[in-house]
């Protein structure tokens, strides 16, 4: 069964990005505080790019028995650079649009579908709810990174 904190975070957590960067200009958003590490914009591009990956994984879990997934790495994804070329505003719109699809899918699944599993390379067999929790925690990690970058703390991503 879906618990309320998961539902609420799935619906609202991504909106934190806009609040964090509200007072920044494009130069600040694009600036890489640590050479070779992601800027705020690149973190947002990563979050935008990962949502369709997550959605695809959930759909595979719902239609296949215990599908196995490789770890997602943006540096191995040719489309990541395409996402980086979007404006931050476009990325935020993509995140919002994709999140509505994800939210609707997850919150409307019958209980037996929530228990379907897929294999994560590090964590093993995870249910749809576990995958959703992992997705939200991953996003929260990047929100924390963005928070640090907004406040002038160089971080490793």
């Amino acid at each position: 069964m879906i618990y309320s904190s998961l539902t609420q975070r799935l619906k609202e957590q991504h909106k934190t990005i806009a609040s964090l960067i509200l007072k920044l200009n494009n130069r600040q958003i694009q600036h890489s505080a640590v050479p070779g590490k992601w800027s705020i914009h690149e973190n947002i591009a990563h979050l935008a790019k990962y949502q369709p990956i997550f959605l695809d994984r959930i759909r595979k879990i719902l239609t296949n028995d215990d599908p196995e997934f490789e770890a997602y790495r943006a540096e191995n994804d040719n489309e990541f650079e395409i996402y980086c070329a979007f404006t931050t505003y476009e990325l935020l719109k993509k995140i919002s649009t994709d999140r509505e699809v994800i939210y609707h899918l997850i919150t409307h699944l019958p209980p037996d579908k929530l228990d379907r599993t897929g294999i994560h390379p590090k964590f093993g067999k995870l249910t749809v709810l576990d995958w959703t929790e992992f997705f939200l925690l991953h996003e929260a990690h990047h929100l924390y990174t963005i928070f640090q970058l907004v406040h002038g703390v160089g971080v490793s991503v």
Side-chain angles (χ1 to χ4, degrees):
M1 185 165 126
I2 295 181
Y3 42 99
S4 62
S5 70
L6 184 130
T7 303
Q8 190 62 32
R9 286 180 293 136
L10 195 57
K11 185 175 184 178
E12 303 287 339
Q13 179 173 271
H14 66 286
K15 296 176 182 177
T16 304
I17 302 166
S19 300
L20 289 172
I21 66 170
L22 184 64
K23 295 180 182 178
L24 301 180
N25 61 41
N26 192 52
R27 183 189 58 74
Q28 292 168 308
I29 291 170
Q30 296 284 343
H31 176 71
S32 180
V34 178
K37 301 296 178 185
W38 287 350
S39 66
I40 291 169
H41 181 81
E42 289 164 322
N43 274 275
I44 296 169
H46 172 67
L47 292 174
K49 178 61 180 102
Y50 187 70
Q51 285 194 142
I53 302 291
F54 173 73
L55 191 55
D56 182 59
R57 288 179 175 194
I58 294 300
R59 287 179 175 147
K60 284 180 181 167
I61 291 168
L62 294 173
T63 57
N64 299 290
D65 291 334
D66 292 329
E68 294 186 36
F69 303 102
E70 293 182 16
Y72 175 77
R73 303 232 186 282
E75 55 272 8
N76 297 334
D77 184 346
N78 295 333
E79 290 184 25
F80 177 63
E81 290 303 319
I82 295 169
Y83 273 69
C84 288
F86 288 118
T87 68
T88 302
Y89 175 77
E90 290 170 325
L91 292 172
L92 292 175
K93 285 197 56 98
K94 284 181 177 301
I95 289 171
S96 182
T97 301
D98 287 344
R99 184 56 64 87
E100 286 181 30
V101 174
I102 293 168
Y103 178 81
H104 183 76
L105 174 64
I106 298 296
T107 60
H108 288 85
L109 285 174
D112 64 311
K113 296 290 185 183
L114 293 171
D115 290 333
R116 291 195 55 86
T117 57
I119 312 299
H120 185 280
K122 182 175 183 180
F123 301 113
K125 191 179 281 195
L126 299 176
T127 66
V128 168
L129 283 180
D130 293 333
W131 277 97
T132 305
E133 185 67 55
F134 177 72
F135 167 78
L136 289 167
L137 291 170
H138 169 258
E139 181 179 70
H141 162 75
H142 286 279
L143 292 174
Y144 178 62
T145 298
I146 292 167
F147 177 87
Q148 290 177 307
L149 292 169
V150 165
H151 294 283
V153 178
V155 296
S156 298
V157 177

